[in-house]
Amino acid sequence: MPEIFKTQVITVDAAHPDAGAIEEAASIIRRGRLVAFPTETVYGLGANARDSMAVSTIFVAKQRPSSNPLIVHTSSTEEAQALAARWPPEAEALAAAFWPGPLSIVVPRSKKIPDIVSAGKPTVALRVPSNPVALALLRAARVPVAAPSANRSEKISPTTAEHVLHTLDGRIPAVLDGGPALGGIESTVIAITSDGPMILRPGLISPAEIEAVIGPVRRSDGTHSEEVSDLATPGIRLRHYAPQSPLILVNAANVQKRLAKLFSKLSTEANRGYITLSEETKVGYIGYRTLPDFEEGLLVQMLPDSPQGYAEQLYAALHTMDAAKVHRIVAEIPPDDDDWLAIRDRLGRASLYGFKDTHS
Ligand code: AMP
Ligand code: MG
């Protein structure tokens, strides 16, 4: 059992974080303890990356398997580079183009980073976040900060301080509440390997944006060469980001038929959740007028029709579904193109059957 804490909530202004509040959080990190903090992707759970004891408490608080490595956050490219044993030209170009921002770059690890951070791998994932609160915290802490998402392992990632408290209240010393994490889903993870760059996890930075900077990149499809499986991201193979109730993906074209079938199997008292992209489908089947809405046992979350807007709201929608204790969630499958790659990835791993849509 982890030490039981009363989790302290430290509130800061999102755009102009108060120096006193930031210093309070930074001093907790410097003392080898954990602080959850907002980034532009989701909330992270931070520890001093140079301190293996501190980092080990992240794995305990999250119940995260020690085989899943952490991303190390710094306040500048220079500090990140100092944690790499090698800093290839592609890493430099990507850092110049996307940092501060939602891209994590996997490069050979320097000895300054303890084994536990990288789950024993010879590499380390590095990122300079752009969220003003995250940057202020990193500057004040004056140490690199290892931070996975601030949720219990395999639960939905948090985009607000309240979401963090849902699964970590009493398990961590503090959360820095700087308002919602606006990106909404995790960073893109790219490895710079000796045979070229490879996207290990799709995220807020799209393959097209990356290719515009460094040319063609490979995408991890789960079938790895030996070198890459050494680099590969364990987190991407698991069912992950899952809500408590089963989530089933359906093609938008079949949605009316599928909803009728999937929901008809539930008892009449059971709450149902429906995540849709289109007003038209929703009105066609359900006939509700205002959203989000919870009437007669059906909770509808209509998410924006753009990948950015959808990403921003996806996890909050799943958290809402959990809070409403729905028994089943049906979500429409977003378009099959690169712009929706990261969203499809997260939905696929939140769902029971992935994209098959073959169940009846
Ligand atoms: P999380 O912080 O929970 O969003 O997960 C971070 C992601 O980055 C996980 O999927 C990790 O497996 C991945 N990651 C972190 N460090 C490395 C590394 N050295 N090599 C490959 N993947 C990594
Ligand atoms: Mg995570």
Side-chain angles (χ1 to χ4, degrees), residues 96-120:
F98 299 112
W99 284 358
L103 182 72
S104 300
I105 306 177
V106 175
V107 288
R109 165 166 66 107
S110 98
K111 293 196 172 59
K112 292 178 190 153
I113 294 295
D115 281 353
I116 187 171
V117 169
S118 295

Side-chain angles (χ1 to χ4, degrees), residues 42 62 64 68 148-151 153-155 157 186 201 240-241:
V42 300
K62 275 183 64 87
R64 180 176 173 108
N68 195 359
S149 52
N151 53 288
S153 207
E154 304 200 6
K155 301 284 188 217
S157 295
E186 297 80 358
R201 175 176 76 182
H240 207 40
Y241 316 104

Side-chain angles (χ1 to χ4, degrees), residues 64 68-71 106 123 125 148-149 186 189 200-201 231 233-235:
R64 180 176 173 108
N68 195 359
L70 308 176
I71 296 168
V106 175
T123 51
S149 52
E186 297 80 358
V189 180
L200 299 178
R201 175 176 76 182
L231 283 157
T233 285

Side-chain angles (χ1 to χ4, degrees), residues 6-357:
K6 177 152 176 34
T7 300
Q8 181 190 357
V9 178
I10 305 171
T11 306
V12 282
D13 184 88
H16 304 286
D18 170 68
I22 292 292
E23 179 47 36
E24 193 179 351
S27 76
I28 297 174
I29 296 232
R30 281 199 303 274
R31 289 201 304 272
R33 304 178 79 200
L34 305 181
V35 177
F37 63 98
T39 79
E40 71 278 22
T41 60
V42 300
Y43 269 67
L45 180 60
N48 177 355
R50 305 285 304 271
D51 177 345
S52 32
M53 280 301 287
V55 173
S56 71
T57 64
I58 292 180
F59 290 91
V60 176
K62 275 183 64 87
Q63 298 177 310
R64 180 176 173 108
S66 59
S67 56
N68 195 359
L70 308 176
I71 296 168
V72 176
H73 300 74
T74 64
S75 67
S76 71
T77 301
E78 294 65 39
E79 287 166 79
Q81 190 178 343
L83 304 174
R86 238 170 6 91
W87 187 247
E90 293 93 335
E92 184 59 30
L94 291 170
F98 299 112
W99 284 358
L103 182 72
S104 300
I105 306 177
V106 175
V107 288
R109 165 166 66 107
S110 98
K111 293 196 172 59
K112 292 178 190 153
I113 294 295
D115 281 353
I116 187 171
V117 169
S118 295
K121 290 168 180 292
T123 51
V124 61
L126 299 167
R127 175 162 107 83
V128 178
S130 63
N131 179 294
V133 175
L135 273 179
L137 176 67
L138 291 168
R139 286 197 193 103
R142 300 190 300 276
V143 291
V145 171
S149 52
N151 53 288
R152 292 246 207 148
S153 207
E154 304 200 6
K155 301 284 188 217
I156 308 161
S157 295
T159 56
T160 64
E162 196 192 333
H163 295 163
V164 174
L165 295 173
H166 283 170
T167 63
L168 295 178
D169 193 14
R171 298 177 70 86
I172 60 173
V175 53
L176 193 50
D177 183 355
L182 294 176
I185 59 173
E186 297 80 358
S187 62
T188 305
V189 180
I190 186 166
I192 311 299
T193 73
S194 60
D195 43 291
M198 174 178 256
I199 295 176
L200 299 178
R201 175 176 76 182
L204 286 171
I205 305 278
S206 72
E209 288 173 281
I210 289 172
E211 290 184 333
V213 176
I214 54 169
V217 294
R218 291 172 298 153
R219 289 129 207 232
S220 168
D221 59 359
T223 55
H224 298 303
S225 72
E226 218 161 89
E227 182 200 16
V228 175
S229 56
D230 204 32
L231 283 157
T233 285
I236 68 178
R237 298 206 196 97
L238 306 169
R239 180 161 182 257
H240 207 40
Y241 316 104
Q244 268 152 35
S245 35
L247 183 143
I248 293 170
L249 296 172
V250 300
N251 288 321
N254 298 340
V255 75
Q256 300 198 9
K257 220 169 69 200
R258 286 276 190 250
L259 275 178
K261 249 189 179 164
L262 289 165
F263 286 160
S264 70
K265 291 184 177 166
L266 299 175
S267 82
T268 45
E269 300 89 69
N271 294 331
R272 293 147 291 167
Y274 173 39
I275 297 178
T276 173
L277 277 152
S278 109
E279 179 99 30
E280 214 172 277
T281 324
K282 185 250 328 159
V283 171
Y285 178 69
I286 301 152
Y288 284 165
R289 293 161 303 280
T290 52
L291 291 173
D293 208 340
F294 198 8
E295 283 182 50
E296 294 167 34
L298 182 63
L299 173 63
V300 181
Q301 297 277 292
M302 196 176 78
L303 301 189
D305 209 353
S306 72
Q308 290 75 20
Y310 193 108
E312 184 181 338
Q313 293 179 30
L314 172 63
Y315 290 153
L318 294 177
H319 280 287
T320 304
M321 296 287 178
D322 272 355
K325 299 202 178 353
V326 300
H327 287 224
R328 179 163 291 173
I329 306 169
V330 173
E332 280 170 32
I333 299 177
D336 186 8
D337 62 49
D338 260 7
D339 289 345
W340 289 89
L341 190 68
I343 306 264
R344 290 172 60 91
D345 170 77
R346 302 307 188 274
L347 278 175
R349 278 179 291 116
S351 71
L352 270 188
Y353 309 113
F355 292 96
K356 291 195 186 69
D357 195 17

